[in-house]
């Protein structure tokens, strides 16, 4: 223990001897103090003892530290440069003025100037030069080329070649060693963000307003990370673009799918109505025949002596009622067959169901089926497209009729019910006594083109489900006790009935 702490104090003494103080960086990472000592070894090897003039080294380190987001290094090295501690650990070094430091910090970056102008003089040298004096053109050229090698090492072939040409191999490697040290130290400061400024440089920042502004607000600070960040951003952008394109394509497909589906829904509706044509024409001819009968009766009342005007009035009332009935049916058929854009109306589901029951009555009777209704009273209105929702009910009824028409024994009952589900949505149930749904096919019923009927299209249930889902409802087949199939759907509630 004693040995360790005396080692530490010897180390701090050595640091202090060189710099005139112990910079915080050599006291960081207290959990592994030996690492700070290794860092000091590296500093000596690559920075302090490098045979490069102290002022050149220190000025370059100030300059390069502009490109580190963490401000510890730039402040510390600038402090050394203007006499807070010793530049490059050299007690004999000449101290620079604040004005010189400011000028150095204001030098345009290589990216703000014509790089050719910087590189050509270095490339043109036929014999290696010696290290240049501070603030000379050659120092400026070397700094600019070294900065590119420092910030964008992988894109600095020309700059490194120019430096090597100008300095010769050995000086060039020493310079690269110094850049490596600086990178290591910058990295160290980034992963030790708790590293604070020393008191002496705090004082410097307090006293030197312009210098402090340049040191603390250098807009180049992020450039070191810029390459990486730009790449990240580019990738992100590319990703976004791809995602955007995909999203657009998906949307176009979905729109097209919806259009096709709507076409099919229409075709399905027309086909179903076609299947029902015989039954429906019967449904229409009935009131027309009734109207004829009433009309004849009216004539008879008129011919009576004296004419029975009350009889005529009643008969004509019958004519009006019967023709209205026929007109109603025709209107409903027309509405179901017409291609109309989707609407959202508040509608009473029971009324919509009763209309479809009326339309299919003849077909149901023809197949020896009896229809039972259990329509709950006082249901809230649902928001939706009347024609489309009626198409769903029509399809379910026709499927039930077809299922039961093949059953020879047992009762043929069709139960149509409405009510509310647990969450207050309107629930419609269509239950038959047909052969029912077998468990293997129950998942496939709602697939497009799945049919077990010789002339079936297999679109009915798939269309029903799309329509219900477009209304934000749900449609499913439920297993029921007893024979037959039960299909149910829910619809969200619009406004409540008053
Ligand atoms: P399609 O009626 O043209 O066959 P659907 O999509 O309406 O098309 O129905 C798909 C299949 O689902 C039918 O072929 C039938 O096998 C089955 N199915 C539908 N409704 C019933 C039902 N009520 N009872 C028994 N099976 C049914």
């Amino acid at each position: 223990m004693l040995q360790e702490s005396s080692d530490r104090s010897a180390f701090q003494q050595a640091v202090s001897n060189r710099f005139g103080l112990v910079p915080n960086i050599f006291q960081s990472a207290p959990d592994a103090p030996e690492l700070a000592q290794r860092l000091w070894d590296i500093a000596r090897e690559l920075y302090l003892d490098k045979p490069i003039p102290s002022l050149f080294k220190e000025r370059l380190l100030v300059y390069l530290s502009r490109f580190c987001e963490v401000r510890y290094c730039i402040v510390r090295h600038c402090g050394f440069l203007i006499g807070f501690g010793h530049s490059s650990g050299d007690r004999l070094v000449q101290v620079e003025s604040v004005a010189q430091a400011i000028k150095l910090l204001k030098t345009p970056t290589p990216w703000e100037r014509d790089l050719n102008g910087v590189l050509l003089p270095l490339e043109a040298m036929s014999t290696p030069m010696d290290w240049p004096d501070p603030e000379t053109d050659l120092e400026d050229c070397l700094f600019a080329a070294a900065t590119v090698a420092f910030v964008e090492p992988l894109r600095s072939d020309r700059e490194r070649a120019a430096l090597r040409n100008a300095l010769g191999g050995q000086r060039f490697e020493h310079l690269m060693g110094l850049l490596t040290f600086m990178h290591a130290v910058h990295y160290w400061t980034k992963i030790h963000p708790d590293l604070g400024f020393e008191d002496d440089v705090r004082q410097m920042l307090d006293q030197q307003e312009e210098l402090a502004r340049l040191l603390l607000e250098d807009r180049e600070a992020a450039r070191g990370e810029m390459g990486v960040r730009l790449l990240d951003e580019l990738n992100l952008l590319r990703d976004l673009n791809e995602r955007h394109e995909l999203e657009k394509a998906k949307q176009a497909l979905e729109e097209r799918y919806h259009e096709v589906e709507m076409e099919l829904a229409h075709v399905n509706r027309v086909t179903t109505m076609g299947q029902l044509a015989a039954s429906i024409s019967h449904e229409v001819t009935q009131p027309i025949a009734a109207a004829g009968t009433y009309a004849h009766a009216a004539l008879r009342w008129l011919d009576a002596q004296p004419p029975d005007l009350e009889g005529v009035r009643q008969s004509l009332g019958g004519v009006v009622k019967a023709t209205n009935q026929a007109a109603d049916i025709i209107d409903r058929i027309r509405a179901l067959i017409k291609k109309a854009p989707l609407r959202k109306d508040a509608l009473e589901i029971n009324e919509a169901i009763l209309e479809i029951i009326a339309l299919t009555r003849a077909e149901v009777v023809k197949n020896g089926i009896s229809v039972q209704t259990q329509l709950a009273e006082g249901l809230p209105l649902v928001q939706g497209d009347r024609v489309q929702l009626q198409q769903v009910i029509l399809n379910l009824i026709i499927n039930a009729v077809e299922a039961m028409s093949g059953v020879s024994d047992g009762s043929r009952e069709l139960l149509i019910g409405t009510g509310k589900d647990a969450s207050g949505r309107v629930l419609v149930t269509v239950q038959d006594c047909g052969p029912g749904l077998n468990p293997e096919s129950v998942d496939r019923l709602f697939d497009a083109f799945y049919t077990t009927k010789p002339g079936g299209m297999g679109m009915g249930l798939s269309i029903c489900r799309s329509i219900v889902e477009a209304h934000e409802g749900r449609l499913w087949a439920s297993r029921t006790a007893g024979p037959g199939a039960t299909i149910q759907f829910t619809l969200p509630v619009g406004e409540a009935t008053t």
Side-chain angles (χ1 to χ4, degrees):
M1 195 64 208
L2 202 67
Q3 177 64 35
E4 205 177 284
S5 64
S6 72
D7 271 4
R8 203 174 312 154
S9 63
F11 152 65
Q12 299 208 340
Q13 194 58 52
V15 177
S16 172
N17 283 345
R18 292 295 293 263
F19 285 125
L21 75 152
V22 182
N24 287 344
I25 195 164
F26 296 114
Q27 307 184 69
S28 56
D31 292 336
E34 72 282 2
L35 271 187
Q37 298 191 31
R38 295 289 87 79
L39 196 64
W40 171 244
D41 292 340
I42 298 169
R44 277 205 328 240
E45 190 59 38
L46 295 178
Y47 163 40
L48 305 174
D49 296 341
K50 274 275 158 278
I52 305 176
S54 300
L55 213 45
F56 183 93
K57 283 190 283 194
E58 206 57 45
R59 282 171 58 82
L60 180 59
L61 296 198
V62 169
Y63 192 74
L64 294 180
S65 293
R66 294 174 64 187
F67 305 98
C68 178
E69 280 171 285
V70 181
R71 303 277 82 190
Y72 173 81
C73 284
I74 194 161
V75 170
R76 182 65 265 166
H77 285 291
C78 190
F80 288 148
L81 197 64
I82 64 171
F84 296 88
H86 313 304
S87 283
S88 303
D90 178 358
R91 294 179 162 269
L92 303 174
V93 79
Q94 184 192 327
V95 171
E96 297 239 290
S97 68
V98 172
Q100 280 175 305
I102 287 175
K103 190 171 163 217
L104 178 64
L105 291 169
K106 282 185 171 171
T107 312
T109 68
W111 299 275
E112 293 166 325
R113 55 207 285 189
D114 170 26
L115 264 177
N116 257 333
V118 170
L119 296 176
L120 286 175
L122 302 178
E123 289 167 337
M125 276 176 207
S126 50
T127 50
M129 63 188 273
D130 204 348
W131 298 105
D133 288 332
E135 298 186 321
T136 56
D137 286 349
L138 277 175
E139 185 204 49
D140 179 50
C141 291
L142 290 181
F143 278 12
T147 300
V148 177
F150 183 73
V151 177
E152 299 181 342
L154 295 177
R155 273 177 285 170
S156 65
D157 287 353
R158 184 176 169 200
E159 287 75 12
R160 279 179 291 114
L163 286 168
R164 183 184 283 277
N165 182 65
L167 294 168
Q170 198 185 34
R171 287 199 196 91
F172 169 77
E173 291 303 347
H174 284 167
L175 182 63
M176 293 302 112
L178 188 61
L179 299 191
T180 305
F181 167 70
M182 217 50 216
H183 257 304
V185 173
H186 284 177
Y187 185 69
W188 184 278
T189 64
K190 284 176 199 166
I191 55 177
H192 293 93
D194 46 322
L195 204 54
F197 298 134
E198 298 84 15
D199 288 344
D200 62 336
V201 286
R202 276 184 202 282
Q203 232 177 23
M204 167 185 85
L205 294 173
D206 266 0
Q207 290 162 4
Q208 304 294 338
E209 204 179 314
E210 189 184 0
L211 186 66
R213 196 171 42 73
L214 281 168
L215 290 173
L216 299 179
E217 294 171 13
D218 196 324
R219 62 198 165 78
E220 294 309 319
R223 191 180 282 275
E225 305 286 303
M226 199 105 93
V228 181
R229 207 173 303 151
L230 266 180
L231 268 182
D232 282 354
E233 270 164 27
L234 257 176
N235 283 334
L236 203 76
L237 218 67
R238 211 172 286 143
D239 262 17
L240 270 179
N241 271 341
E242 265 168 28
R243 244 181 290 154
H244 186 65
E245 290 298 319
L246 275 175
E247 204 52 50
K248 265 189 359 205
K250 195 173 142 232
Q251 215 175 329
L253 261 176
E254 270 170 6
E255 271 165 25
R256 184 71 199 115
Y257 182 77
H258 187 66
E259 276 169 31
V260 169
E261 208 171 39
M262 285 297 113
E263 284 293 326
L264 277 171
H266 182 243
V267 168
N268 184 70
R269 213 151 62 211
V270 173
T271 315
T272 314
M273 298 310 286
Q275 279 169 20
L276 290 176
S279 304
I280 286 170
S281 68
H282 174 73
E283 198 71 358
V284 181
T285 45
Q286 249 186 351
I288 291 173
T293 311
Y294 281 123
H296 277 114
L299 283 176
R300 274 202 312 276
W301 294 124
L302 258 180
D303 286 346
Q305 289 301 332
D308 184 339
L309 290 184
E310 178 51 27
V312 171
R313 206 182 58 78
Q314 280 190 8
S315 300
L316 287 182
V319 171
V320 169
K321 207 173 137 205
T323 46
N324 278 349
Q325 249 177 24
D328 267 6
I329 294 171
I330 289 168
D331 276 354
R332 267 174 236 149
I333 296 167
R334 203 176 274 148
L336 278 170
I337 289 180
K338 197 173 68 184
K339 243 170 113 176
L342 191 89
R343 302 172 53 125
K344 280 256 164 106
D345 298 320
L347 57 99
E348 263 193 52
I349 197 73
N350 289 346
E351 204 181 285
I353 292 173
L354 286 171
E355 280 181 12
I356 297 298
I357 291 178
L359 262 187
T360 51
R361 185 169 44 221
E363 185 73 11
V364 164
V365 171
K366 194 175 90 188
N367 284 283
I369 294 164
S370 75
V371 178
Q372 312 282 330
T373 52
Q374 285 178 1
L375 306 178
E377 281 178 21
L379 281 179
L381 300 179
V382 297
Q383 293 285 333
D385 186 301
R386 180 183 208 90
V387 168
Q388 289 204 354
L389 292 176
Q390 286 189 322
Q391 174 171 8
V392 173
I393 298 155
L394 180 66
N395 270 318
L396 298 183
I397 292 178
I398 296 301
N399 273 348
V401 169
E402 285 176 346
M404 287 190 284
S405 66
V407 180
S408 49
D409 53 336
S411 61
R412 291 187 175 184
E413 271 188 9
L414 172 59
L415 178 68
I416 301 172
T418 55
K420 281 205 242 173
D421 73 356
S423 54
R425 301 172 136 224
V426 165
L427 173 74
V428 180
T429 306
V430 178
Q431 187 178 357
D432 63 52
C433 301
L437 307 164
N438 66 39
E440 300 91 70
S441 63
V442 88
D443 292 336
R444 302 174 55 203
L445 295 183
F446 300 96
D447 290 351
F449 307 115
Y450 172 78
T451 181
T452 56
K453 300 170 192 165
M457 221 193 348
M459 284 306 297
L461 287 179
S462 135
I463 288 167
C464 287
R465 182 169 266 182
S466 317
I467 291 175
V468 170
E469 285 177 356
H471 284 78
E472 288 160 30
R474 213 165 66 77
L475 178 130
W476 70 98
S478 37
R479 310 287 308 277
T480 39
T486 302
I487 310 280
Q488 292 183 297
F489 65 92
T490 53
L491 291 172
V493 166
E495 41 196 278
T497 43
T498 46

